[in-house]
Amino acid sequence: LCFWMWGAKFMIRLCLAAIVLVWAATCAHADEPGNANRWNSAKIDWKTFDDGLAEARSANRPILIVFHMTWCPHCRRYRRQFYNPAVVKLSRSMVMVLVDRDTEADINARYGAYGVYIPRTMVLSPRGQLVSGITGPYKDYPHLLDTNSPGDLKRVMKSALAKYPQ
């Protein structure tokens, strides 16, 4: 009986350890291409923050940065807007950056003074500074755009491109 109890405890611990390892591996890879695929990475060239900032500086192009979380239902609905043909076309003139608020807390904190809600879409200058005056329709959540329709997103992108013509 004692051997069986020791064996059962060992198996439970082994199973829990396996679950923790799988969970940790999943979190560590949350921002790999599979995540961007859900945001239409086949047609939109999503960059990491550092790569996007470097490209924006060298090309003098504005950055559209989207803060999201993989588990957020509003983010899931919002990502559908990036399949709109007009949004895809506009994205080709900007540097597109996708930030997972859960796994990239340092980048989220860098822009946290402008809100920490999600999804949050901001226009940044080629130097990575928030471009003022380009916001969504909600006074209390200025970087929240309509998650059901691409209208707000297209307007924000067009405004950014007007400030940084190619």
Side-chain angles (χ1 to χ4, degrees), residues 74-93:
H74 303 289
C75 299
R76 285 188 201 121
R77 188 171 51 246
Y78 183 48
R79 68 185 178 210
R80 287 186 241 150
Q81 309 320 313
F82 292 88
Y83 287 82
N84 178 280
V87 171
V88 170
K89 184 176 180 182
L90 289 165
S91 76
R92 294 184 184 129
S93 299

Side-chain angles (χ1 to χ4, degrees), residues 31 35 39 66-70 75 98-102 118:
D31 270 343
N35 191 28
W39 293 80
V66 178
F67 292 88
H68 73 101
M69 288 191 258
T70 56
C75 299
L98 189 60
V99 175
D100 186 323
R101 198 182 92 173
D102 282 339
I118 53 162

Side-chain angles (χ1 to χ4, degrees), residues 6 8 14 16 18 25-26 32 37 42 54 68 81 85 89 94 103-104 106-107 114 121 132-133 142 157-158:
W6 181 84
L14 184 63
L16 288 173
T26 302
E32 288 193 348
N37 284 341
H68 73 101
Q81 309 320 313
K89 184 176 180 182
M94 303 182 76
T103 60
E104 299 174 272
D106 56 329
I107 299 166
Y114 309 109
T121 304
S132 63
M157 294 172 87
K158 287 175 183 177

Side-chain angles (χ1 to χ4, degrees), residues 18-34:
I19 290 169
V20 168
L21 286 174
V22 168
W23 176 78
T26 302
C27 289
H29 298 290
D31 270 343
E32 288 193 348

Side-chain angles (χ1 to χ4, degrees), residues 3-24:
F3 177 75
W4 181 83
M5 290 296 288
W6 181 84
K9 287 180 183 178
F10 175 76
M11 290 305 291
I12 290 171
R13 287 183 182 147
L14 184 63
C15 287
L16 288 173
I19 290 169
V20 168
L21 286 174
V22 168
W23 176 78

Side-chain angles (χ1 to χ4, degrees), residues 138-160:
Y138 310 105
K139 181 183 174 200
D140 292 335
Y141 303 99
H143 303 289
L144 176 65
L145 304 180
D146 185 353
T147 60
N148 293 309
S149 168
D152 286 346
L153 179 58
K154 290 189 296 187
R155 181 185 50 76
V156 162
M157 294 172 87
K158 287 175 183 177
S159 295

